[in-house]
Amino acid sequence: MLKEITKIIKLLLCVFTFEFYFAGFVYAEENKDVEWEHKNAIRARIYQDIADNNELEDDVATDLLFESDNSLWFMSRNLLFKADIEGRIETFEGYDSATDSMFRIKEGYAQFTKDTHTFTAGEKIVTWGKMDDVVILDRINPQDFTRFILEDKQDRKLSALMFKYDYSPGDWKIESIFKPFFKPSAVNYFGSDWAVFGNLKQGVSDGNMAQAKKDIVSAIAVEEQDYVTDNNLKNSEAGLRLTNKFNALDYSFYYMNIRHALPVLKERTATGNLVKQYLYDPSLANLNALEAANPSGDDYILERAHPRLNVVGADWETVIGGYGARGEIGMFWGQPYLREDFSYVEKDVLSFGLGIDHTTANDIYIDFQFIADYVMDYEGLFAQEEIAKQFTGSVSKNFKRGIINLNLDWAYSLSYQDLMLNPVVEYKFINGLSVSFGSFMFMGDSTTTFGAFNSKDLIYAEMKYLF
Amino acid sequence: MKNLIIILMSVCSLFWLPPQVLAEETSALNIMEKVFYRDDGLDSYSKVEMLLVDKKNNTRGRILEIYAKDYSSLIKTFLEFTEPADIKGTKFLSIEEEKADNTQYLYLPALGRSRRIVSSQKNLAFVNTDFTYEDMQRRRPEKDTHRIIADEALNSRNCVVVESVSNDNTSQYSKRISWVDKESDVVVKIEFYDKKGKKIKEFRVNGLEKKDGIWTVTDMVMDNEKDVHKTYMKLLEVRYNQGLGDDIFTSYSLEK
């Protein structure tokens, strides 16, 4: 029943979006009380893999994206209808050729404001927390990791059905969110360059291993847990944020009762741990160990676990002299990990982040962040130290009054020595047209976040038109 | 009391700096105080077209909406770019307090949240215009020493020319010379000098008229002689004393 209701809501949102798009302008023109705001973007990217170290990877990929953001304001009624849509066509050339396309509602909701009260209902994206491009408290929306981090965090976010009530009588405000159903982050485990286990299955299938081994790898499957994907109110999530300021300090307190959006693989049987061991370290020795365990049935099935998390946190932001300073801290009860033997376990974790940004006298913007996670009651965990430390940041400078822009985003894990670099140069033409050239470089051990994609060093060209 | 274009106000306010020694200086201070405290409405809404022109005469246009409200010891200004698409949705909130550093927030759509920004770096350009962040703030007359240096007509307006020098080195400029229109108490021209005493920018009012009984700058330009670049601003619409609510002037409204 709930599934049907969700489908109907989504269908209505689709219809509404189209009506909005085609009739919005006319309606706004005819009604002076109505204002239609819209913004469209067409973005074409072409990626070239410059590290030819994995024959299964795509050499060239293209990504054509269309976005249309629309807001219809009924001024005298304090009513806003929002309908943002997104369409995408991707092609992949390399070991195989493939085409993929997608159309979705990026956001679609109604918002009503009465004095200091604001009510929102629909598919919405919310941004919480103060850190840039990293997640500590910004957990209301799931993210799309099917392209790993080729998109910025805000662009990776997936909208979620929610009801939001805000009370903002002045400098302070309360935001409360209720999400009736859980929506996990999008992650591919097999079958693409950006999948967690990449093209492992295809590599084995097309390789010269014994058929018995090929059969084992072929039988491995990752499944969503039914109770998670069911649109069941038992999967509902809630969040609360109180924001205020004290002198020059802005701060917020958080409470969230949510599910862990990013899945962690949970075994159905003890042999499933050998499956995970092979997937994360696909050596012949590990495959032999798995084969020796005579796997069958549920041994092959790994489940995407999204355990319930209780989160209490706070963030703050201020200005100290010529520097902007901000931070987040959160206590997470029940965060999922894998032990060193790859069995699934949940731990309580304290995470915090500190960020500083500054613009130099010659207008170079520098942003630097430090993030640390402390796993409580620590035992040996796979790819997770007791205290994990990471640095991220960006440096940017524009020339000719923003016509030419240079930017470098980077992230480095002190604990695991993996590194990501994303330098970009952009040239803005007049009238909303811009071209960019950039690169993504990933370095580190294959068990680390960035090192897992160390064979994917990319350069890319982008053309974007905003109108 | 607010005027239409914040920037205007700020630019104008730059020139409202007072003196301290002789009667002449007192008189100059009085002039700049009249400029600062002149009636520009309890609140205002304005829509402004901005045009950036480089030395090759390439132009880039922008439209912005400005809300401003006077709280006597506080002045709050909310600004939103509505065109073109590459800057649309960028919002800026400034809270100017009489005896404290200004509080400024910037909302960038790509970030998805507002950020408190450093207001002390006054020499940086505001969103690539010829206005700096200092130009975006109303400078209180008592922060400068003022001196009347001439009495002359400018574009058929009788003006007093006042030189203003910062008392406490808090300005990026060594001095400013302002032409104050005697009839309206509006600064209709300003020359900006860098720390070496070299003239680097000139602000000119090309249109000044009464709207709802309030003297309003309708057309102006900031001419950056150093960079050979100009920023034109033209008033498209203005409304005074509309009873603007307080809810616009919060960081929350930036993110709505």
Side-chain angles (χ1 to χ4, degrees):
Chain A
M1 179 64 180
L2 281 168
K3 266 187 178 176
E4 297 306 313
I5 291 172
T6 311
K7 278 181 187 171
I8 290 168
I9 290 172
K10 286 185 175 172
L11 185 64
L12 285 173
L13 280 171
C14 274
V15 172
F16 167 68
T17 304
F18 278 109
E19 289 229 348
F20 203 106
Y21 195 68
F22 295 112
F25 179 73
V26 175
Y27 193 68
E29 282 292 298
E30 289 175 353
N31 296 273
K32 288 185 177 172
D33 184 42
V34 179
E35 223 173 79
W36 180 45
E37 291 179 6
H38 56 106
K39 181 176 172 180
N40 304 304
I42 297 174
R43 191 198 72 183
R45 269 189 187 182
I46 179 164
Y47 297 97
Q48 171 73 52
D49 187 359
I50 55 172
D52 192 17
N53 43 15
N54 184 338
E55 63 171 1
L56 295 169
E57 287 178 341
D58 302 316
D59 299 322
V60 178
T62 64
D63 181 4
L64 180 64
L65 177 71
F66 170 75
E67 293 175 317
S68 178
D69 297 348
N70 300 272
S71 301
L72 200 59
W73 295 88
F74 292 79
M75 308 306 276
S76 64
R77 291 176 186 161
N78 299 315
L79 197 57
L80 162 69
F81 288 104
K82 180 91 173 144
D84 298 348
I85 54 174
E86 182 179 278
R88 185 168 221 151
I89 300 172
E90 293 171 282
T91 67
F92 308 94
E93 296 290 336
Y95 187 75
D96 282 333
S97 296
T99 302
D100 199 5
S101 61
M102 174 274 291
F103 174 84
R104 71 180 173 201
I105 296 169
K106 205 165 65 175
E107 281 192 284
Y109 61 85
Q111 181 176 292
F112 172 68
T113 303
K114 176 73 175 168
D115 302 325
T116 54
H117 309 273
T118 302
F119 303 89
T120 307
E123 292 269 341
K124 186 171 169 58
I125 291 173
V126 170
T127 301
W128 278 3
K130 298 287 187 190
M131 305 295 284
D132 292 343
D133 231 16
V134 294
V135 173
I136 296 180
L137 294 169
D138 191 13
R139 291 179 183 248
I140 292 299
N141 291 91
Q143 295 187 42
D144 183 353
F145 286 105
T146 55
R147 295 169 203 84
F148 191 39
I149 54 165
L150 298 186
E151 307 283 356
D152 291 337
K153 184 178 81 172
Q154 285 304 113
D155 294 323
R156 288 198 304 268
K157 281 186 180 175
L158 300 167
S159 64
L161 180 65
M162 67 178 74
F163 301 93
K164 187 167 186 277
Y165 165 67
D166 304 341
Y167 177 60
S168 54
D171 283 336
W172 68 281
K173 70 176 182 220
I174 291 176
E175 295 165 82
S176 57
I177 291 172
F178 176 70
K179 292 166 63 184
F181 314 124
F182 171 66
K183 184 175 181 178
S185 289
V187 176
N188 290 330
Y189 278 95
F190 300 105
S192 85
D193 290 0
W194 302 110
V196 176
F197 305 121
N199 297 293
L200 174 67
K201 279 189 161 189
Q202 185 163 15
V204 170
S205 168
D206 296 352
N208 52 10
M209 280 187 184
Q211 190 58 44
K213 286 185 169 59
K214 287 185 179 182
D215 291 344
I216 287 173
V217 175
S218 170
I220 297 171
V222 174
E223 293 182 0
E224 199 71 80
Q225 292 170 308
D226 289 344
Y227 75 92
V228 168
T229 50
D230 274 354
N231 283 339
N232 188 317
L233 284 176
K234 286 180 182 171
N235 289 323
S236 62
E237 300 175 292
L240 193 66
R241 176 165 85 157
L242 167 68
T243 300
N244 204 347
K245 68 163 77 171
F246 176 72
N247 291 333
L249 182 75
D250 300 322
Y251 63 88
S252 301
F253 293 112
Y254 295 78
Y255 172 71
M256 286 177 266
N257 186 290
I258 53 178
R259 283 195 175 277
H260 194 266
L262 194 63
V264 171
L265 293 181
K266 189 173 187 176
E267 67 282 359
R268 282 190 180 171
T269 67
T271 305
N273 296 332
L274 293 175
V275 174
K276 281 189 267 182
Q277 175 178 270
Y278 169 67
L279 292 175
Y280 284 104
D281 179 10
S283 64
L284 188 57
N286 285 338
L287 186 53
N288 286 337
L290 176 59
E291 188 178 20
N294 289 320
S296 64
D298 278 354
D299 295 339
Y300 291 112
I301 309 300
L302 302 173
E303 293 180 340
R304 298 175 189 232
H306 302 277
R308 190 162 281 283
L309 279 182
N310 271 298
V311 183
V312 173
D315 69 25
W316 58 274
E317 185 170 48
T318 191
V319 166
I320 305 168
Y323 294 81
R326 61 193 184 278
E328 289 183 37
I329 186 165
M331 182 69 210
F332 302 83
W333 284 273
Q335 190 138 299
Y337 291 100
L338 299 181
R339 293 189 183 96
E340 283 178 341
D341 67 356
F342 295 93
S343 58
Y344 174 89
V345 66
E346 292 172 14
K347 294 285 181 184
D348 300 338
V349 178
L350 179 70
S351 297
F352 76 91
L354 179 68
I356 295 173
D357 66 281
H358 176 67
T359 305
T360 65
N362 48 358
D363 212 6
I364 297 173
Y365 176 76
I366 301 167
D367 184 29
F368 181 84
Q369 299 186 130
F370 171 71
I371 302 102
D373 300 312
Y374 171 58
V375 181
M376 298 182 175
D377 188 23
Y378 187 80
E379 58 187 300
L381 297 178
F382 170 66
Q384 177 67 44
E385 293 187 353
E386 184 176 14
I387 302 174
K389 297 176 280 287
Q390 187 187 20
F391 297 103
T392 72
S394 66
V395 182
S396 59
K397 163 80 176 164
N398 72 57
F399 300 89
K400 297 177 79 68
R401 292 173 185 272
I403 291 176
I404 299 171
N405 300 293
L406 303 182
N407 188 76
L408 170 67
D409 289 334
W410 59 272
Y412 173 70
S413 165
L414 196 63
S415 301
Y416 315 116
Q417 284 87 49
D418 58 326
L419 173 71
M420 182 280 294
L421 296 172
N422 174 213
V424 184
V425 55
E426 177 193 43
Y427 185 91
K428 281 187 179 176
F429 294 90
I430 294 170
N431 300 329
L433 182 67
S434 65
V435 292
S436 304
F437 297 95
S439 172
F440 280 99
M441 283 172 271
F442 304 103
M443 285 158 258
D445 184 82
S446 63
T447 58
T448 61
T449 304
F450 300 123
F453 301 101
N454 58 17
S455 63
K456 288 298 292 179
D457 287 339
L458 298 173
I459 55 172
Y460 66 91
E462 174 186 297
M463 184 176 287
K464 186 156 68 177
Y465 180 52
L466 299 166
F467 58 104
Chain B
M1 318 247 289
K2 265 299 54 115
N3 204 346
L4 36 148
I5 307 172
I6 331 170
I7 298 159
L8 248 195
M9 306 187 320
S10 23
V11 172
C12 297
S13 56
L14 296 172
F15 317 30
W16 353 19
L17 334 165
Q20 284 157 338
V21 188
L22 302 174
E24 184 188 312
E25 288 178 334
T26 308
S27 172
L29 175 61
N30 289 341
I31 289 167
M32 300 317 280
E33 284 180 337
K34 280 175 75 179
V35 168
F36 190 84
Y37 293 110
R38 77 185 179 85
D39 179 15
D40 54 3
L42 290 169
D43 60 55
S44 68
Y45 160 81
S46 50
K47 191 172 183 178
V48 175
E49 181 181 36
M50 181 186 275
L51 201 63
L52 308 184
V53 183
D54 69 13
K55 59 185 169 190
K56 292 179 181 171
N57 273 334
N58 295 317
T59 60
R60 283 187 290 164
R62 296 168 175 182
I63 304 284
L64 55 154
E65 292 181 316
I66 302 159
Y67 299 84
K69 188 168 183 178
D70 199 322
Y71 292 79
S72 92
S73 64
L74 278 182
I75 297 168
K76 295 185 180 180
T77 307
F78 178 92
L79 180 155
E80 179 175 4
F81 287 90
T82 58
E83 286 181 35
D86 66 340
I87 197 170
K88 184 174 185 170
T90 299
K91 301 173 194 173
F92 177 73
L93 173 67
S94 174
I95 301 169
E96 301 174 37
E97 297 185 53
E98 195 169 335
K99 290 176 182 171
D101 285 340
N102 290 349
T103 304
Q104 295 179 337
Y105 295 90
L106 186 66
Y107 174 83
L108 298 171
L111 207 57
R113 69 175 181 86
S114 63
R115 168 173 279 182
R116 185 184 273 262
I117 59 171
V118 175
S119 63
S120 58
Q121 291 179 283
K122 297 171 177 170
N123 60 324
L124 300 176
F126 178 69
V127 286
N128 296 313
T129 66
D130 293 289
F131 295 90
T132 63
Y133 279 90
E134 179 177 348
D135 301 338
M136 297 289 295
Q137 298 167 11
R138 284 169 54 106
R139 188 171 174 87
R140 294 188 173 270
E142 60 273 17
K143 284 189 169 181
D144 301 295
T145 298
H146 308 279
R147 184 169 67 93
I148 296 173
I149 57 174
D151 209 41
E152 66 180 46
L154 180 70
N155 298 332
S156 74
R157 291 189 173 276
N158 291 323
C159 297
V160 182
V161 185
V162 178
E163 180 189 85
S164 305
V165 178
S166 173
N167 288 331
D168 50 8
N169 206 25
T170 55
S171 172
Q172 66 187 287
Y173 306 112
S174 64
K175 67 176 179 183
R176 283 165 293 220
I177 299 178
S178 312
W179 278 251
V180 180
D181 175 36
K182 290 179 181 175
E183 182 188 5
S184 61
D185 292 327
V186 170
V187 177
V188 291
K189 178 182 169 185
I190 309 168
E191 292 178 350
F192 298 86
Y193 293 81
D194 66 13
K195 293 289 187 188
K196 293 175 184 170
K198 186 182 175 191
K199 185 184 165 195
I200 50 170
K201 290 198 299 193
E202 183 174 297
F203 166 81
R204 295 185 298 274
V205 169
N206 299 324
L208 177 64
E209 55 189 272
K210 272 196 169 178
K211 302 269 188 187
D212 298 336
I214 294 172
W215 283 105
T216 302
V217 176
T218 56
D219 202 340
M220 65 177 181
V221 60
M222 181 67 95
D223 187 346
N224 191 326
E225 296 172 8
K226 187 180 170 191
D227 296 349
V228 196
H229 195 276
K230 294 186 181 75
T231 300
Y232 290 90
M233 294 183 73
K234 189 176 181 181
L235 187 67
L236 302 176
E237 187 181 346
V238 64
R239 293 194 293 267
Y240 290 109
N241 301 322
Q242 299 289 298
L244 286 179
D246 298 333
D247 53 327
I248 299 171
F249 305 100
T250 62
S251 57
Y252 178 55
S253 72
L254 291 170
E255 298 174 0
K256 273 177 120 177

